Amino acid sequence: MRFKYSTNSPNQNEFDSLPRIPIILHKNNLSIETNGLVDSGATVNVLPYQLGIQLGEVWDNNQKVKGCCLFKIAITCSLVPI
């Protein structure tokens, strides 16, 4: 598979480019269209705090899985049609 490399900001140059794909995150009746970072070697997924808040997630100490920074939440993802 091939992925388009891009930056988050016009202030960044081509050396700051990372492989990204357009995705839609779904939770209950909420959806957010965003870009996902392709990391083919990753064993965990990371969700930016603000996206979680927009999807109605509650970042609560009662949801901690392992350590202070990992939480288990249920969000589905689909690719944006090109």
Side-chain angles (χ1 to χ4, degrees), residues 43-70:
T43 57
V44 297
N45 296 311
V46 178
L47 180 70
Y49 177 82
Q50 283 301 325
L51 289 180
I53 296 297
Q54 291 176 44
L55 288 169
E57 190 56 55
V58 176
W59 304 103
D60 178 320
N61 284 343
N62 295 327
Q63 295 178 332
K64 287 184 181 177
V65 176
K66 293 180 182 175
C68 65
C69 303
L70 299 177

Side-chain angles (χ1 to χ4, degrees), residues 7-53:
T7 60
N8 282 337
S9 164
N11 299 333
Q12 295 174 310
N13 63 37
E14 65 187 49
F15 298 109
D16 296 318
S17 294
L18 296 170
R20 303 175 202 279
I21 55 173
I23 59 173
I24 302 172
L25 299 173
H26 309 273
K27 180 159 189 218
N28 300 327
N29 294 328
L30 300 171
S31 295
I32 296 176
E33 191 167 326
T34 188
N35 286 310
L37 176 64
V38 177
D39 184 353
S40 61
T43 57
V44 297
N45 296 311
V46 178
L47 180 70
Y49 177 82
Q50 283 301 325
L51 289 180
I53 296 297

